[in-house]
Amino acid sequence: LRAQGYTDDALVRADTRQELSMQLSVGPLKIDPFVTGRATFYDSDFTAFAANVGQPNETDNVRLWGGGGVRLSTSVQKVDETVTSDMFDIRGVRHIVEPSATIFTAGTNRNATTLPVYDQNVEQLTQGTTFRTGVANTWQTRRGGPGREHTVDFLKINTDYVYSANNTQRLSPIGQFIDYRPEYSLLGNL
């Protein structure tokens, strides 16, 4: 690990994350624009590590990262009280369809590959532009006897499609998009 630029010396790191978002509604459509900024201060510039990955000019002790985007979503549902089954304990079915999309872009003054990863959620932040769209389907029913009736989800199917633009940094061969904090996403060859 030392040959790759890691050190066994004690390091000091300070990280701050700030987010500003707004929840808007236009009829049944929910719109959530957001911007996020992070500043991470290190007591080392990781020169040896950056040189080992082929970027010797990356020597900033401060990494500034910023991103922003918008989340769009809506919900449609249908209730069918005629569906019942004593065997599966089903009393009526509600089908909820929730289409959604997220558009996100981020940039930084220091490439994530030039920092040794001590914490996945600090050093390895996504950069580039990404688009996610998907549909969540939930089927619910009522269960329990009189006075104890409650609603349960008995089937959930979620589908997502993620597209990353050419300027997106690929950090993993297997991608994962994390909608509530897109900077944590591992945008591989999805």
Side-chain angles (χ1 to χ4, degrees):
L1 292 173
R2 283 189 201 107
Q4 293 176 359
Y6 285 92
T7 180
D8 55 0
D9 294 336
L11 294 170
V12 176
R13 175 187 70 196
D15 182 62
T16 182
R17 178 187 186 278
Q18 304 299 318
E19 180 173 335
L20 179 63
S21 66
M22 180 184 303
Q23 296 179 349
L24 306 169
S25 293
V26 177
L29 181 64
K30 294 178 186 172
I31 304 168
D32 182 14
F34 61 94
V35 293
T36 305
R38 284 185 87 146
T40 309
F41 306 90
Y42 298 93
D43 70 345
S44 173
D45 60 9
F46 304 111
T47 306
F49 189 88
N52 191 53
V53 295
Q55 297 186 24
N57 296 332
E58 293 277 4
T59 59
D60 288 334
N61 285 40
V62 177
R63 189 217 31 223
L64 301 174
W65 178 93
V70 64
R71 293 181 190 95
L72 307 166
S73 64
T74 191
S75 178
V76 179
Q77 61 181 318
K78 180 179 180 181
V79 177
D80 188 349
E81 295 289 345
T82 64
V83 178
T84 60
S85 171
D86 290 335
M87 186 168 122
F88 295 110
D89 194 19
I90 294 175
R91 292 182 192 85
V93 172
R94 175 169 50 183
H95 181 198
I96 304 168
V97 180
E98 298 171 294
S100 63
T102 303
I103 302 165
F104 175 73
T105 189
T108 183
N109 68 322
R110 180 152 187 177
N111 194 318
T113 59
T114 67
L115 294 169
V117 178
Y118 296 104
D119 184 345
Q120 185 84 19
N121 293 335
V122 175
E123 276 81 35
Q124 206 160 22
L125 300 179
T126 295
Q127 60 191 65
T129 303
T130 304
F131 171 75
R132 182 209 57 84
T133 185
V135 177
N137 286 279
T138 306
W139 286 267
Q140 297 177 330
T141 189
R142 292 184 313 277
R143 292 201 171 139
R148 299 174 308 151
E149 193 171 86
H150 58 280
T151 302
V152 296
D153 298 346
F154 69 89
L155 179 62
K156 285 184 142 188
I157 300 174
N158 296 329
T159 58
D160 277 337
Y161 171 77
V162 178
Y163 171 78
S164 300
N166 290 337
N167 69 343
T168 304
Q169 182 181 16
R170 312 282 182 192
L171 296 175
S172 171
I174 299 172
Q176 178 184 20
F177 187 81
I178 300 171
D179 198 42
Y180 77 97
R181 285 223 174 142
E183 69 259 28
Y184 295 165
S185 300
L186 292 174
L187 302 174
N189 298 318
L190 304 175

